[in-house]
Amino acid sequence: MIEIIKQIFEQNVISSIKFSVVIILLLALTKPVMKRYTAGFRYYSWLAVMLIFLIPFGKLGISYKVPISPVIMNIQSETRDIRNWYEQKLPQQTVTKTVSVKPNNGEQAENPPSEKTTATVKYKTPIDVKLILSVIWLVGAVLFLILHIKRYFSFRKTVKRISSPLCDENIADILDSEKQKLKITSDIPVRVSSAADTPMLVGIIHPFILLSENEFSDDELHFIFRHELIHYKRKDILYQLITLIFISLNWYNPFAYIMARAIEIDGETACDEKVVKGKTYETRVFYGEMLINFLKTQNQKNHI
């Protein structure tokens, strides 16, 4: 089991180095790509990169070549090997005794005879750096994943507790009209909370749209609902889960966090592109002004 952890860690580090090079190249090509391709193309390009480095594709991504079957078939043998390894690594102690000898033929020694014992202790404590780093990586990955999942479910639970269902027939009709345009038949309720700074889609199994207590015009609600429903239809929550798993495995790599930020920006921009797709110029301008006003409001809140 120890060797398996070490091999997986080594392969993960090699894969992470390759992944960093890919991220650097993609970021360097951001401006040329933005001129030719949409944010949606960039958004799914990040997903392709993560899948390549998550699924064993051979030389390009990570390749898990570890002897899983022998370990499962020979648990007792593995335990014995671990015990032998531990016994071999115990500190070794050697003691030497030095005794002075009287000179022969009655010759008088320069120094008076004396007897003393000198103990020399040699400690042999090998440090397996690779094993230590492997354990740190594994513990960090598990903790990172557990903490973020726990934080998400805690946030969802808190939001449901402090929010209330929205009972407004006009708003319900606007939501239904947008669901019909996107061919969505699932029930997606709307909840309102004073703690919500921005509209968002919350939940994996039973998602709902969370709105702030601000007053929105009908046009604004159409854009808001379409934006959040596009997130739902594209399965962006599943995308976020894949991103979380990927970052958990590469938590020590700063480029993983840079990529996560790029995914967030491209994901929101791709939704905005879908919202205004096929709309008139005046509608696109209105939507752009609405986003600008919203961002200004958020910046004012952050500076208060």
Side-chain angles (χ1 to χ4, degrees), residues 28-41:
L29 295 174
T30 296
K31 290 184 178 180
V33 168
M34 288 180 65
K35 293 179 180 179
R36 180 169 297 185
Y37 300 102
T38 63
F41 176 84

Side-chain angles (χ1 to χ4, degrees), residues 62-230:
I62 190 168
S63 178
Y64 296 105
K65 297 178 181 179
V66 293
I68 300 296
S69 299
V71 175
I72 298 176
M73 298 294 293
N74 303 294
I75 298 178
Q76 294 181 350
S77 175
E78 182 70 16
T79 305
R80 185 172 58 254
D81 293 340
I82 294 174
R83 185 173 62 252
N84 294 335
W85 175 85
Y86 177 76
E87 292 175 352
Q88 293 175 2
K89 304 306 179 183
L90 287 176
Q92 296 181 356
Q93 180 175 351
T94 59
V95 179
T96 60
K97 185 176 181 180
T98 305
V99 180
S100 61
V101 182
K102 293 182 179 181
N104 295 327
N105 301 326
E107 293 181 358
Q108 196 172 9
E110 295 180 0
N111 297 321
S114 61
E115 180 177 333
K116 58 181 180 179
T117 302
T118 304
T120 304
V121 180
K122 297 180 180 179
Y123 290 96
K124 185 180 179 182
T125 308
I127 299 177
D128 193 339
V129 177
K130 187 176 178 181
L131 175 60
I132 295 174
L133 294 177
S134 301
V135 172
I136 293 175
W137 164 75
L138 182 60
V139 172
V142 173
L143 288 178
F144 188 96
L145 184 62
I146 292 176
L147 289 176
H148 279 76
I149 291 178
K150 183 179 179 181
R151 183 184 301 175
Y152 174 79
F153 282 103
S154 177
F155 168 76
R156 187 179 186 277
K157 183 179 179 180
T158 302
V159 164
K160 291 203 71 173
R161 188 181 71 251
I162 64 176
S163 64
S164 58
L166 181 62
C167 301
D168 188 305
E169 293 184 1
N170 180 49
I171 295 178
D173 291 339
I174 294 175
L175 177 61
D176 289 338
S177 66
E178 292 299 330
K179 286 170 61 178
Q180 291 177 4
K181 292 176 183 178
L182 294 173
K183 298 180 181 180
I184 296 175
T185 58
S186 302
D187 181 27
I188 305 176
V190 178
R191 302 181 69 88
V192 179
S193 174
S194 58
D197 293 332
T198 178
M200 66 183 71
L201 183 69
V202 181
I204 299 176
I205 300 176
H206 301 292
F208 59 89
I209 296 175
L210 183 66
L211 293 178
S212 64
E213 292 183 344
N214 298 335
E215 294 185 1
F216 299 99
S217 66
D218 290 352
D219 291 333
E220 289 174 336
L221 286 172
H222 275 285
F223 285 126
I224 290 172
F225 287 149
R226 171 161 286 220
H227 183 100
E228 301 305 327
L229 290 173
I230 289 174

